[in-house]
Amino acid sequence: MHDTPALFTEEDYAARMTRAARDAAETGLAGLLITPGPDLTWLCGYRPATTERLTLLVLTPGSEPRLLVPSLERPDAESAPGADAVRISDWRDGQDPYAAATGLLLPNGRYAVADTTWALHLLGLQEALPLTTYRPLTVVLPLLRAVKDDHEVARLASAAAAADAVYEEILAVRFTGRRESEVAADLAHMLRERGLSQVSTVVASGRDSADPDHRTGERTLKKGDVVILDFGGLKDGYASHLTRTVHVGEPTEEARTVHDLVRTAQQAAFEAVAPGATCQEVDRGARRWIEDAGYGEYAAERTGHGIGITAHEPPYLTEGEETFLAPGMCFSIGSGVYLPGRFGVRAEDVVTCTADGARRLNATDRGMAIVA
């Protein structure tokens, strides 16, 4: 069981769509074209299946939001939480949906298109309106969903608390003699029991833990293994992402040293978070400690990524990313060291930027836990 969060209102969705249209105008766009996916869900609360039938939300400055849907799906669209904030029209099977869309677009407009848009639909729009031009939404408006309101942060905090509880629970599970896939299945079950859906679990043990891209396999865990647990899911529509490193039995001195370094580096990144700081400054905060300790070549991953209704979204905390942080931005902050052929260590939490710094949404201990 879990607490039910405050519902997003029609006013919430209307404000999001108004702001999105305004931001589009400020970048010289005629508007935004949003097809099924996270942007559509965030903007108007509608979550249809992605199919060959065109569903299109059109946001243009100074105009009422328009939602074009297949006639078969109109009842579902009209029951969406933000439906009263949009004008809905439909098209029927046998009709040309792109011809139906032409009345909603400027014939020579420049539009941002949701990244999840099928090529089928974009090419259909281009054929119907050959003078229109299109840009990827995350290229022209990468921070559209980046700043969360209090209700969104509360959902992220609830998801983080659920992941924390699962971590505490998994520490009591037997690791020795079991496969990575079995421990991952335990994590998935625990996450669902805590109210999470679309769960994701990675268990990387022994030499596998030295591979940052490892996917859970069938390796059997044994005494002496370092084990990275990377897991999360969606709770009330918002994501969690937690990474901890545990040790099967007593760790070696080197494993303790690397773990302490990773924990220190992650803390340094956390302390670098503040309004006006750049994403790359946070990344440098962690990387500097690892490089000074002589492990720089073994820390290839970025420090973090935005998190919200998807587990990975802008902004990205990495070298070269000069986006300024602002209160309400939520992202993961992690640090890792991966020694090829030996072992790896990673720690990662969800953090929100506040008016005077940062707040961790995950509260579990980041020390080296010993499991049986």
Side-chain angles (χ1 to χ4, degrees):
M1 299 295 293
H2 61 284
D3 294 334
T4 301
L7 296 176
F8 295 125
T9 66
E10 175 191 337
E11 289 74 21
D12 291 327
Y13 291 115
R16 291 175 185 178
M17 289 187 283
T18 297
R19 177 165 63 84
R22 183 188 66 240
D23 291 349
E26 290 175 353
T27 61
L29 295 168
L32 306 181
L33 306 182
I34 309 298
T35 52
D39 293 312
L40 185 65
T41 301
W42 183 78
L43 285 163
C44 69
Y46 185 36
R47 194 193 299 267
T50 302
T51 71
E52 76 283 356
R53 290 189 172 100
L54 177 68
T55 294
L56 186 69
L57 174 67
V58 180
L59 302 179
T60 54
S63 299
E64 183 179 17
R66 299 292 298 270
L67 180 64
L68 176 66
V69 300
S71 59
L72 294 172
E73 298 172 18
R74 182 162 186 157
D76 291 335
E78 290 176 335
S79 65
D84 289 341
V86 300
R87 180 184 296 181
I88 299 175
S89 58
D90 61 48
W91 62 275
R92 297 182 177 277
D93 283 355
Q95 294 179 328
D96 182 351
Y98 309 108
T102 58
L104 307 180
L105 308 182
L106 295 175
N108 59 348
R110 180 172 175 265
Y111 293 92
V113 182
D115 294 12
T116 52
T117 302
W118 281 15
L120 170 71
H121 298 318
L122 182 57
L123 292 171
L125 291 171
Q126 287 179 318
E127 185 174 353
L129 293 169
L131 297 182
T132 52
T133 56
Y134 305 92
R135 298 291 307 284
L137 181 59
T138 54
V139 171
V140 291
L141 291 176
L143 302 182
L144 179 66
R145 306 196 315 259
V147 176
K148 275 66 177 178
D149 63 27
D150 290 344
H151 292 308
E152 291 182 286
V153 174
R155 292 187 183 215
L156 285 165
S158 178
D164 283 347
V166 167
Y167 176 64
E168 297 296 338
E169 191 175 355
I170 200 69
L171 294 180
V173 167
R174 181 172 60 86
F175 281 62
T176 306
R178 303 180 70 214
R179 296 189 298 272
E180 290 178 353
S181 61
E182 293 177 303
V183 176
D186 287 342
L187 281 170
H189 175 73
M190 294 172 185
L191 288 165
R192 293 188 180 98
E193 287 287 301
R194 296 282 176 176
L196 280 79
S197 62
Q198 297 184 31
V199 300
S200 172
T201 61
V202 175
V203 177
S205 65
R207 292 185 176 184
D208 288 345
S209 66
D211 177 5
D213 294 321
H214 178 71
R215 295 294 177 263
T216 302
E218 298 303 315
R219 182 183 181 276
T220 299
L221 282 68
K222 63 181 186 299
K223 290 289 185 181
D225 278 347
V226 175
V227 184
I228 294 177
L229 306 172
D230 184 336
F231 56 94
L234 295 181
K235 187 168 186 285
D236 299 311
Y238 281 73
S240 63
H241 190 164
L242 181 67
T243 308
R244 290 291 184 266
T245 302
V246 302
H247 202 281
V248 184
E250 197 64 26
T252 64
E253 191 61 34
E254 184 179 28
R256 287 189 181 278
T257 297
V258 173
H259 197 284
D260 288 344
L261 172 62
V262 166
R263 183 171 54 175
T264 300
Q266 195 220 21
Q267 179 65 23
F270 172 75
E271 293 173 359
V273 175
T278 65
C279 290
Q280 69 177 3
E281 287 172 339
V282 178
D283 183 72
R284 290 170 181 173
R287 203 167 297 280
R288 187 177 300 115
W289 278 93
I290 294 173
E291 290 174 350
D292 289 349
Y295 288 90
E297 64 181 297
Y298 306 115
E301 284 186 294
R302 64 193 176 196
T303 294
H305 52 79
I307 189 167
I309 61 173
T310 56
H312 291 77
E313 59 187 45
Y316 298 101
L317 308 182
T318 188
E319 182 65 31
E321 179 54 72
E322 297 181 348
T323 297
F324 292 105
L325 300 182
M329 285 186 177
C330 299
F331 36 81
S332 69
I333 282 190
S335 183
V337 169
Y338 306 90
L339 305 178
R342 302 175 63 199
F343 66 88
V345 174
R346 184 163 181 82
E348 188 168 14
D349 297 310
V350 175
V351 167
T352 183
C353 182
T354 64
D356 56 1
R359 175 167 70 96
R360 290 184 188 271
L361 301 187
N362 290 108
T364 53
D365 185 70
R366 295 179 300 282
M368 173 75 82
I370 310 298
V371 295

